[in-house]
Amino acid sequence: ACVAWPTIKKEFDNKAAVSVMDLVFKAVFVLRNFRKELNLGPQKPLSIEIKTTTQKEEAVEAASVCMSHLAFVKVNISTEEAVVPKCLSALIDKDVHLYLPLEGLVDIEKEKQRIEKQIKNAEHQIKQKEKMLKNKDFVKKAPEAVVSRERQRLTELKESIQRLKEVRSAFK
């Protein structure tokens, strides 16, 4: 005997819960990237600011409970437009901005130097990869997988530089 294909029951279709969990996933993803960029361990407690509209405030408050446990953060929610000085920021959803204040979290001068060093290193690697990929003999003789991997790495390095420059701008 064949069993019918499972169907979604209407009573389990909760768009509000899906919206809240979507905010949680996006925020945790952003926070983990911030931790990686700033060399902050996963157990270091952080305090973040979330600016949102009054329409989304309830969803953000519901999401903040999960965020605090999953990303080890203290969440402050505000519906007012205020400038958060020296911070990393990200738009995690329409009308939901996440800010990580840097003051007291990292040594800003050391971070500037570290980021500049990473940018210079990545720029040097980009020059090497571009030189390699412009060499027609290399492209012709190397296996396609190797050439493809080098092109992918070049793209990743360019994206990395872009993100590092965004982080650097937060320190100004």
Side-chain angles (χ1 to χ4, degrees):
C2 290
V3 177
W5 188 261
T7 58
I8 298 174
K9 295 182 179 180
K10 295 289 182 198
E11 63 266 21
F12 296 129
D13 188 18
N14 187 338
K15 291 185 184 354
V18 170
S19 172
V20 168
M21 288 311 296
D22 189 44
L23 282 174
V24 171
F25 294 145
K26 288 176 182 177
V28 169
F29 178 79
V30 164
L31 288 165
R32 286 180 178 171
N33 283 340
F34 284 170
R35 285 181 184 277
K36 180 181 176 201
E37 290 161 2
L38 297 172
N39 291 329
L40 300 172
Q43 294 303 313
K44 181 162 181 69
L46 301 177
S47 182
I48 62 171
E49 301 282 331
I50 296 182
K51 307 288 184 203
T52 187
T53 59
T54 52
Q55 294 85 5
K56 292 216 175 178
E57 188 175 17
E58 189 175 316
V60 171
E61 284 181 13
S64 71
V65 175
C66 291
M67 280 183 232
S68 64
H69 293 291
L70 293 173
F72 203 52
V73 295
K74 179 178 176 255
V75 182
N76 297 316
I77 302 168
S78 173
T79 56
E80 301 168 12
E81 272 305 310
V83 177
V84 181
K86 292 194 179 178
C87 67
L88 291 178
S89 65
L91 179 68
I92 58 172
D93 198 41
K94 185 176 185 282
D95 300 326
V96 181
H97 297 267
L98 183 145
Y99 299 94
L100 175 62
L102 299 172
E103 204 65 44
L105 187 62
V106 293
D107 182 337
I108 292 178
E109 287 306 314
K110 281 184 180 178
E111 282 301 308
K112 282 182 188 178
Q113 292 171 359
R114 184 183 68 80
I115 290 169
E116 284 301 323
K117 186 176 178 182
Q118 287 181 332
I119 289 172
K120 286 179 184 174
N121 183 26
E123 286 172 343
H124 177 71
Q125 289 181 38
I126 285 173
K127 287 178 186 174
Q128 288 180 321
K129 301 281 183 212
E130 286 175 339
K131 183 178 177 184
M132 182 188 311
L133 292 169
K134 285 180 183 176
N135 183 343
K136 290 183 175 43
D137 287 336
F138 170 76
V139 175
K140 195 183 324 177
K141 293 179 182 178
E144 182 57 36
V146 172
V147 174
S148 176
R149 185 175 63 233
E150 293 301 322
R151 285 189 177 125
Q152 177 65 31
R153 180 69 181 132
L154 179 64
T155 303
E156 290 170 2
L157 284 167
K158 288 179 179 179
E159 290 170 358
S160 173
I161 283 182
Q162 184 63 33
R163 183 64 189 142
L164 285 168
K165 287 180 178 178
E166 290 173 17
V167 171
R168 180 180 63 186
S169 70
F171 290 110
K172 293 184 178 179

